[in-house]
Amino acid sequence: MPDQKGRYTRNEMMDTGVACFVPDAPGALTGRWFGEPPLDGIILTRRRCAALGAPVQDREYPVAFIYRIEIKDDYRYVPFYLRLPEQLDLKKSTYYEDRWLKRQRPVIIT
């Protein structure tokens, strides 16, 4: 069960079976993904989802986690939720969010 801030322990995160990003250092943008993150849309924290007009619903499960090195207790895994561009109020998005949402997506040929 997540703590009052919504963070998970390692075992709770592992039980979900979703991807987890572990940065190289505190605050680093480089690191390694364990598992496969979602390819479409953007992953956002609960607070950022609400700020962009697409709040997290009851019983909505995270699609990824990010490990926070600087947190000094067992609850070090921050959940992220998937949002598609059409769900968001893009007038409130940041430059980096816009850039991520407009990136060229891979073409999958079957």
Side-chain angles (χ1 to χ4, degrees), residues 59-78:
R59 298 185 186 261
E60 182 177 353
Y61 296 103
V63 297
F65 289 90
I66 291 185
Y67 177 75
R68 299 287 304 270
I69 297 168
E70 65 276 6
I71 296 173
K72 300 300 180 197
D73 64 12
D74 290 337
Y75 292 89
R76 295 180 177 200
Y77 295 86
V78 178

Side-chain angles (χ1 to χ4, degrees), residues 21-64:
F21 181 77
V22 179
D24 294 331
L29 297 177
T30 59
R32 182 169 182 225
W33 277 101
F34 292 89
E36 190 66 34
L39 295 176
D40 290 338
I42 187 170
I43 57 173
L44 302 166
T45 62
R46 177 180 293 272
R47 183 179 294 167
R48 195 66 191 136
C49 287
L52 291 174
V56 174
Q57 302 299 312
D58 290 341
R59 298 185 186 261
E60 182 177 353
Y61 296 103
V63 297

Side-chain angles (χ1 to χ4, degrees), residues 96-109:
Y96 294 108
E97 290 165 342
D98 286 339
R99 189 171 155 193
W100 181 261
L101 290 167
K102 292 176 183 170
R103 76 190 187 286
Q104 189 169 12
R105 291 177 175 73
V107 176
I108 300 172
I109 300 172

